[in-house]
Amino acid sequence: MTHTDTNPSTTTPDVGTPPVGPRKVVLVTGASSGIGEGIARRLSAQGHHVVLAARRTDRLDAVVDELRRAGHSAQAHALDVTDRDAFERVVASVVDERGRIDVLVANAGVMLLSRLDALLVDQWDQMLDVNVRGLLHGIAATLPRFTSLGSGHVITIASVGAHEVVPTSAVYSATKYAAWALTEGLRQESAPGIRVTTISPGVVESELAQHITDPHAAEAMTAYRAASIPADAIARAVAFAIDQPADVDVNEIVVRPTRQR
């Protein structure tokens, strides 16, 4: 299982052709590293204005400074996605500054694997808070703006853990299935003009597994993560979904290493 807030390439990718349609204002959560940073780098290099949000402001500021020196449009906002009021303030600030918000990439997530009988209840709560409530807070903050605008795009970075359960992944997989279900429900309920996408990464190069404290789960991850792909592989999927014409909604993408079965 894998997901976000990890170590990406520190170089801006070669993005090739510019995006389809006008530049968009994109908010990426969990953007201080890993998949989130990779997404921010690719989208800003493609010409979008990217708002990088995360708790680690020193890292955010460094990335934004690098992107701006490369001529890209980016800004940083401190954000703990578990704080609903803080999420609303960040979105309101972006709309005040830029006049609109077009895309939410709900990427912030934690993966604290353990067997249920290890009873790491605080870690269960943390995953529920970040992976589920954090997504709901993002939807609550952006959906009214999208509805008012008549357009918008919610992209949830879920996990292959939304589609499979293995020993030690019960709670993590439950949170990622919840993220998948919430996003699918949003897709079905949204007004015309609002697009909704779920992207489920497999094993991505990251520091994520280093946060696992359960020894059995940490050992199991060593073999599981033997084959991995770079964060930019997920960023390319995000860019693909965003760059489609307005009448095309890419609903779901699963991206994993060729060797991951």
Side-chain angles (χ1 to χ4, degrees):
M1 314 298 168
T2 112
H3 180 72
T4 71
D5 208 19
T6 59
N7 277 334
S9 166
T10 58
T11 59
T12 299
D14 179 4
V15 298
T17 57
V20 175
R23 183 174 76 168
K24 296 181 178 180
V25 177
V26 184
L27 172 61
V28 182
T29 66
S32 60
S33 62
I35 292 174
E37 182 183 344
I39 292 167
R41 287 181 179 278
R42 175 160 287 274
L43 295 184
S44 63
Q46 285 188 329
H48 300 293
H49 176 76
V50 181
V51 182
L52 292 81
R55 293 177 300 168
R56 295 188 289 181
T57 55
D58 56 339
R59 179 62 185 162
L60 285 181
D61 291 340
V63 175
V64 167
D65 181 64
E66 182 183 337
L67 293 175
R68 287 176 172 173
R69 283 189 281 108
H72 307 319
S73 183
Q75 67 185 106
H77 274 281
L79 175 62
D80 178 348
V81 299
T82 68
D83 185 335
R84 183 175 61 184
D85 292 337
F87 215 135
E88 168 62 29
R89 288 193 297 270
V90 167
V91 171
S93 177
V94 171
V95 173
D96 287 344
E97 293 173 14
R98 309 299 303 187
R100 60 192 292 134
I101 183 169
D102 299 299
V103 183
L104 167 66
V105 182
N107 166 76
V110 292
M111 183 184 72
L112 303 170
L113 304 183
S114 66
R115 289 174 53 91
L116 289 170
D117 57 12
L119 296 178
L120 300 181
V121 179
D122 289 343
Q123 294 187 5
W124 301 351
D125 289 343
Q126 186 180 353
M127 286 188 284
L128 286 166
D129 286 342
V130 176
N131 299 354
V132 182
R133 292 189 179 92
L135 171 60
L136 286 169
H137 293 164
I139 292 171
T142 57
L143 186 57
R145 274 87 177 183
F146 293 161
T147 301
S148 175
L149 202 60
S151 66
H153 197 166
V154 174
I155 301 176
T156 297
I157 307 300
S159 169
V160 293
H163 305 279
E164 64 180 359
V165 181
V166 299
T168 75
S169 84
V171 178
Y172 176 74
S173 292
T175 66
K176 288 304 179 178
Y177 180 83
W180 176 89
L182 289 168
T183 310
E184 173 61 12
L186 177 65
R187 182 189 70 79
Q188 295 185 31
E189 295 177 5
S190 291
I194 298 176
R195 303 192 296 180
V196 181
T197 303
T198 303
I199 297 177
S200 295
V203 180
V204 176
E205 294 171 2
S206 76
E207 64 185 18
L208 195 63
Q210 298 173 13
H211 302 293
I212 298 171
T213 63
D214 180 80
H216 176 77
E219 181 180 359
M221 276 292 99
T222 301
Y224 185 81
R225 297 178 62 81
S228 62
I229 53 178
D232 189 59
I234 311 307
R236 292 195 301 271
V238 171
F240 172 77
I242 290 175
D243 291 348
Q244 298 308 300
D247 63 342
V248 176
D249 189 359
V250 178
N251 301 145
E252 187 164 4
I253 305 174
V254 178
V255 183
R256 56 180 133 204
T258 325
R259 291 171 56 194
Q260 185 182 355
R261 299 303 183 194

